[in-house]
Amino acid sequence: MPTFLPASRRVRSPRRARPSHGTPSPWRTEDFRVLFSASVLSTLGTNVSYLAVPMVAVLALDAGPGRVGLLASLSTAAFLLIGLPAGAWVDRMRHRTVLIVADLLRAALLAWIPVAWWLDVLTFGGLCAVVLLSGVATVLFDVASQSALPRLVEPAVLIPANSALVSLMAAGNVAGRGAGGALVQLLGAPLAVVCAAAGHLGSGLRLLRMTRDDAHTAAPDAVAAASAASATSAAPAGAALATSAAPAGAAPGRAPGLRAQIAEGLRHVLGHAELRALALTGAVGNLGTVMVNTMLPVVFTRELGLSAGALGLFWAAGGIGLFLGARCARPLADRFGHGRGLVVVDLCLAPAGLLVPLMDRGAWLWAAGAGWAAFAMRTGAANVLGVSLRQRLTPGDLLGRMNATFRFLLTGSMAVGAALAGAIGAHCSPRTALWAGGALLCLSFLPVLFSPLRRRRELPTGEKPCGSAPKVAGCTG
């Protein structure tokens, strides 16, 4: 585990947003521009490695389907293994430092693959170790990135900031993996991994330009008390918010243990009606999405006799829908309100998931593609609105644990979905698994529909994330 700088180190004065008399925009904040440009490079590295690393296993190590599946499982295993404690770790560290170290670690791990291949010492076990450790770094990077964002921008521009990052993710899904495939074809899989490592290296170096670096210097009991007070004032009527008071048994003035901090994050998410609804909706949607994605290659190639290129176009339609949904999030919030907009887009687009299992040659394939794009559009808008709500409903000192709890639940549902799809496909049929996944996509809107989110018009104003005035105790501006 890397050694992080102590909170007592002097930090440079953060770059503030430039004064403006026009429409508020996150792009006026230099630190956000740094984070976004670094995310471009990191996303490039992630999407290139998504294709290049399995191709190294297949072409250089002659790995079969079982081993390739094991690599895919290891890439998300870290979210289940350390997803919850990662939030507590990130809350104790400087977010900027975590981001930099995580990217540089991924660059070093990926760079080892072509070096080992060139030296003829690359083994499948070594490749598995790289994938698993890269997943650990990805967990820390993702949690720190979502926790840092509310500290970099003002609350008024949180939705446009999240929209920009979700749009980047969608563009990466469409173009990044295509670029990865082209690099594998032009350079070979091992050299394509070099490009992935270069993306993470560039991201880590770019993040050195970020000046805002939060430091938790207040006494732990003071932080907990301030967070509890602010969280209580932020809670909407009818929401059962679990306050972030010091856990029972923790000595006054002493930081609570790791288990207590993890439990605090779980109570915050599962005890808050709106956060709980967001978590359940995301988990059900992810469960259905992975069940569909797991069976699509089988249905496309074996049942319909279509090419892998056709499957790639089908998935690209989802990436386009994700991008469009992210861009529509702010107009939806302005028109219907933040919570209501989330419910409206879920209610209108989630049922389109039932079109996916109807796929067949001809017109039904186009209908299934339209349904997939519509559900992806719902996901893009829901990601922007949901993440913005999560960040504003959470006290500053709980952001890491909240994000880690969501990551654990959402990624855990993906692991369950892949196993469930395989079991249903083997014992019934791939088409049956596809229908089960489509049904889950259709019903994924129910948790938010029957939650207080349907009455929320504005983002919470009682809780001020770190980086906006007035400051929460424990956050250094």
Side-chain angles (χ1 to χ4, degrees), residues 127-139:
L127 197 62
C128 287
V130 167
V131 170
L132 180 61
L133 292 174
S134 296
V136 171
T138 298
V139 171

Side-chain angles (χ1 to χ4, degrees), residues 321-336:
L322 193 69
F323 178 82
L324 293 176
R327 305 311 298 169
C328 292
R330 186 169 187 178
L332 280 169
D334 292 341
R335 173 66 178 85
F336 298 103

Side-chain angles (χ1 to χ4, degrees), residues 357-379:
L358 295 172
M359 68 171 55
D360 204 340
R361 283 182 168 272
W364 284 113
L365 182 60
W366 289 94
W372 185 246
F375 187 84
M377 185 175 179
R378 166 262 173 201
T379 301

Side-chain angles (χ1 to χ4, degrees), residues 307-323:
S307 67
L311 176 59
L313 291 175
F314 187 90
W315 273 331
I320 294 171
L322 193 69
F323 178 82

Side-chain angles (χ1 to χ4, degrees), residues 271-290:
H272 192 295
E274 290 174 299
L275 293 177
R276 184 171 62 247
L278 292 173
L280 289 174
T281 289
V284 174
N286 278 5
L287 184 66
T289 298
V290 171

Side-chain angles (χ1 to χ4, degrees), residues 233-279:
S233 64
L241 175 63
T243 64
S244 57
R254 180 182 299 176
L258 183 61
R259 287 187 180 181
Q261 287 188 312
I262 293 173
E264 193 177 6
L266 284 168
R267 285 196 302 270
H268 174 66
V269 172
L270 300 180
H272 192 295
E274 290 174 299
L275 293 177
R276 184 171 62 247
L278 292 173

Side-chain angles (χ1 to χ4, degrees), residues 4 68 76 99 101 181 246 249 253 276 312 330 346 348 367 433-434 438 472-473:
F4 297 96
V68 174
T76 57
L99 292 170
V101 172
R276 184 171 62 247
R330 186 169 187 178
D346 266 353
C348 292
L434 208 61
V472 177

Side-chain angles (χ1 to χ4, degrees), residues 38-74:
S39 297
V40 170
L41 297 172
S42 184
T43 300
L44 175 64
T46 298
N47 283 287
V48 171
S49 64
Y50 181 86
L51 283 173
V53 173
M55 292 305 294
V56 169
V58 173
L59 300 178
L61 300 177
D62 197 26
R67 287 192 166 190
V68 174
L70 176 60
L71 280 178
S73 300
L74 289 174

